[in-house]
Amino acid sequence: MEPPADPRARRLFGGSARALGDLATSPFRADRDRIVGSPFFTRLGGVTQVVSPGGSGLLVHNRLTHSLKVAQVARAIAERLTADGQQRDLVEKLGGCDPDVVEAAALAHDLGHPPFGHLGERVLDRLARHRLGLTDGFEGNAQSYRIVTSTEIRGAATTGLDLTAAVRAAMLKYPWTRLDHPDPHPRTMDPPPRGATPPPDDPDSGSLKFGAYRTELDDLRQARAPFAGRIADWQQTVEASVMDTADDIAYAIHDVEDFYRVGVLQQGTVAAELMAWQREVGQLRAITDSALATSARRPGSSIERLRRQLHHKDGWIADDEAFAAAVEHVREELVEGLLALPFDGSIEAEQYVARFSARWTTRFVDSITVVEQPAVRSGHVLLAPAQWHEVQVLKFVHHRFVLARPDLALHQRGQARLLDTLVDALREWLLDPEEESRLPRRLHDLVELAEAELHPRTPDRLGKARGRAIVDFVAQLTDGQAVAMLDALSGRSGALWTDAFVL
């Protein structure tokens, strides 16, 4: 399949990635440059990955450095797949896998991530649905897609980044809307694809994760059109699957690195959990689910719950022997390796962390395979079973010994309240008729954009447009800008000129 000759048509072309990659000037490289040149990419340096960039006292990953590492891993996977003749043929059959495409998609995948990490995502979704009347709510992946297609402002036109169809399709980790596309909706499948399940506290609200709001549905369809007949309409493209897998790999490795550096991950507590499970695995497996839930403080019980959750959710790949081997490998590499000596900031310590990261990254990338008929909860690109289990155990260590900490919960509750108050304050400002001429110009523009997107007969059209504009506006702030803006709106700030208003 050859790309069209017309340059504009070629920018919309999403078929043979390899053919396009051979062009002297690849439009996919132009996509990558547009993404990196966007102010929305730059702002990711001030957005939380797990803890606020300035909140740990030491350098930890933020959304910018995370995106760069995901792009690095994604490109390595794509280059490996295209170098393997047998896998390359299958990849081409499924629609292609260009390293420039996956790198660009990886760089763009978190552009819509709001202040304060996944906590901010949950808070904005709740406020958007229950306070602002937006059926689609808020979702970080859908917000990223919205930015590259509509809300990124370049000059006088609000046109997005004008990315190729292949890159936009590669950004769609969840290629469906919240409620009604495609039909039948993936959340009705048994089992549903990963991310398509509704939130347990609101089963009628649609999928928990989704790739685009209804306002960007036409663009989603256009981006996915070249892959029709090659992959299922709810399934990721190969390039999206590469990006998604790279995201998982980077997350599993660098969050462990971060909290080793900060001193949160301690050898004793991690060793006690893993070794207790290994020592008492027979007894732990005999405990009922209800009894296990009440013994959270017993060493080994948390990782036994993980084993059961994997069987429940991912029975297509979960395997007890592979799980036990993964626990042992993580224990050797992490407990007896990385955590054996506290991080002291020395060059030697940094080199040790770098070797740990490189070793795990190579192990994961080398295990990647492509399958023509994947399980419903998998993409076409996936880790080998042994490495898939290792990723789950590494992510468990992060969840159990970092995310579950009461001190982090205390910090996050304050951030949630901050976003709640900020949304209310901006809404009051928008509704004040005497202040219309003094609204931040970006907020005013976003209201006009949102109103133009809605059908003229939409009930409470202006109210919904204002709600979407507030969500778009807050989602585009850094952590620091959100704090500074609320300080200014509440009268706590003594500074007249701050970067809270510059975006």
Side-chain angles (χ1 to χ4, degrees):
M1 182 186 300
E2 292 298 324
D6 176 74
R8 175 60 188 171
R10 190 161 56 237
R11 290 218 44 83
L12 297 176
F13 187 76
S16 174
R18 184 170 60 179
L20 279 174
D22 291 339
L23 294 173
T25 304
S26 167
F28 304 145
R29 294 182 186 178
D31 285 353
R32 182 187 59 192
D33 292 345
R34 290 181 179 195
I35 292 162
V36 172
S38 165
F40 290 88
F41 185 73
T42 304
R43 71 168 274 275
L44 294 178
V47 178
T48 293
Q49 170 67 12
V50 177
V51 296
S52 293
S56 67
L58 289 173
L59 181 64
V60 297
H61 284 84
N62 52 53
R63 284 284 153 182
L64 179 63
T65 55
H66 165 75
S67 297
L68 291 170
K69 289 196 173 181
V70 174
Q72 180 185 33
V73 175
R75 188 174 189 94
I77 294 173
E79 289 176 345
R80 181 178 179 276
L81 294 181
T82 54
D84 184 320
Q86 185 175 357
Q87 297 205 86
R88 184 175 62 240
D89 292 342
L90 176 55
V91 165
E92 286 298 317
K93 178 181 177 181
L94 294 169
C97 184
D98 187 288
D100 286 333
V101 170
V102 296
E103 183 179 7
L107 290 169
H109 84 283
D110 267 349
L111 289 180
H113 216 285
F116 310 127
H118 290 295
L119 166 83
E121 193 173 12
R122 293 193 298 272
V123 171
L124 282 182
D125 180 49
R126 173 177 56 79
L127 294 173
R129 288 187 291 119
H130 299 305
R131 194 169 302 174
L132 301 175
L134 303 176
T135 305
D136 271 348
F138 178 86
E139 209 284 330
N141 294 279
Q143 194 70 19
S144 294
Y145 200 77
R146 180 168 172 80
I147 284 171
V148 303
T149 57
S150 61
T151 65
E152 163 68 288
I153 296 176
R154 300 168 62 211
T158 307
T159 59
L161 292 182
D162 193 25
L163 304 181
T164 58
V167 170
R168 285 181 282 125
M171 290 177 61
L172 291 167
K173 185 186 297 189
Y174 309 103
W176 53 80
T177 61
R178 183 163 210 150
L179 287 163
D180 53 13
H181 176 83
D183 186 17
H185 195 272
R187 73 181 185 280
T188 64
M189 296 173 63
D190 186 19
R194 184 167 52 92
T197 306
D201 60 335
D202 195 357
D204 297 325
S205 64
S207 291
L208 179 65
K209 307 297 291 181
F210 53 99
Y213 302 121
R214 293 198 79 256
T215 46
E216 282 73 57
L217 177 55
D218 287 345
D219 195 285
L220 180 152
R221 286 183 170 130
Q222 188 270 332
R224 295 268 304 180
F227 301 92
R230 296 172 182 251
I231 55 177
D233 58 5
W234 52 267
Q235 182 62 271
Q236 300 167 334
T237 66
V238 169
E239 289 156 334
S241 189
V242 169
M243 181 272 288
D244 189 14
T245 304
D247 193 17
D248 231 21
I249 291 171
Y251 172 80
I253 296 171
H254 70 220
D255 282 352
V256 168
E257 290 178 27
D258 281 352
F259 293 99
Y260 164 62
R261 282 194 175 94
V262 174
V264 169
L265 277 183
Q266 297 290 322
Q267 184 187 38
T269 53
V270 180
E273 179 68 26
L274 300 186
M275 295 174 70
W277 183 84
Q278 290 179 311
R279 187 174 57 251
E280 303 173 20
V281 60
Q283 299 175 32
L284 287 165
R285 288 187 184 182
I287 298 175
T288 64
D289 289 345
S290 58
L292 192 66
T294 62
S295 59
R297 294 181 62 85
R298 175 180 175 177
S301 63
S302 294
I303 198 162
E304 171 60 18
R305 285 198 298 276
L306 171 68
R307 185 191 69 82
R308 297 184 189 192
Q309 289 166 5
L310 295 181
H311 276 284
H312 176 68
K313 291 185 175 181
D314 292 294
W316 61 278
I317 193 172
D319 176 84
D320 285 340
E321 288 188 10
F323 184 80
V327 172
E328 173 63 14
H329 192 69
V330 171
R331 186 189 65 79
E332 290 177 353
E333 285 282 317
L334 184 62
V335 175
E336 297 181 7
L338 187 67
L339 303 182
L341 292 174
F343 181 78
D344 61 7
S346 65
I347 294 175
E348 183 181 8
E350 287 288 4
Q351 290 173 336
Y352 193 60
V353 173
R355 287 195 296 271
F356 173 88
S357 177
R359 191 163 58 248
W360 276 101
T361 301
T362 299
R363 179 178 177 84
F364 290 147
V365 170
D366 286 348
S367 78
I368 293 292
T369 58
V370 182
V371 294
E372 186 169 3
Q373 298 292 335
V376 171
R377 283 181 54 84
S378 172
H380 287 284
V381 176
L382 67 159
L383 293 156
Q387 284 67 45
W388 183 89
H389 285 82
E390 288 163 5
V391 165
Q392 308 313 312
V393 175
L394 284 173
K395 288 164 68 175
F396 160 81
V397 170
H398 170 239
H399 280 266
R400 173 66 179 83
F401 299 104
V402 177
L403 296 185
R405 290 173 62 97
D407 50 0
L408 180 59
L410 177 69
H411 192 58
Q412 289 180 329
R413 286 184 69 84
Q415 293 172 335
R417 180 165 294 186
L418 185 154
L419 287 176
D420 191 299
T421 307
L422 179 57
V423 166
D424 271 352
L426 288 170
R427 186 166 179 266
E428 289 177 9
W429 196 1
L430 266 175
L431 293 175
D432 187 341
E434 297 182 1
E435 289 289 303
E436 183 176 1
S437 64
R438 299 206 302 167
L439 287 171
R441 187 63 196 176
R442 170 57 63 92
L443 185 57
H444 183 275
D445 291 344
L446 290 172
V447 172
E448 290 188 345
L449 170 66
E451 190 173 10
E453 290 174 333
L454 296 172
H455 191 277
R457 290 194 295 272
T458 301
D460 190 23
R461 183 184 180 202
L462 180 56
K464 285 183 170 56
R466 286 169 170 166
R468 178 54 64 190
I470 290 170
V471 170
D472 286 341
F473 186 81
V474 173
Q476 293 169 8
L477 299 174
T478 65
D479 292 11
Q481 286 174 327
V483 173
M485 177 161 278
L486 182 60
D487 282 347
L489 285 167
S490 60
R492 291 194 299 265
S493 174
L496 178 59
W497 313 116
T498 78
D499 71 345
F501 301 97
V502 181
L503 185 64

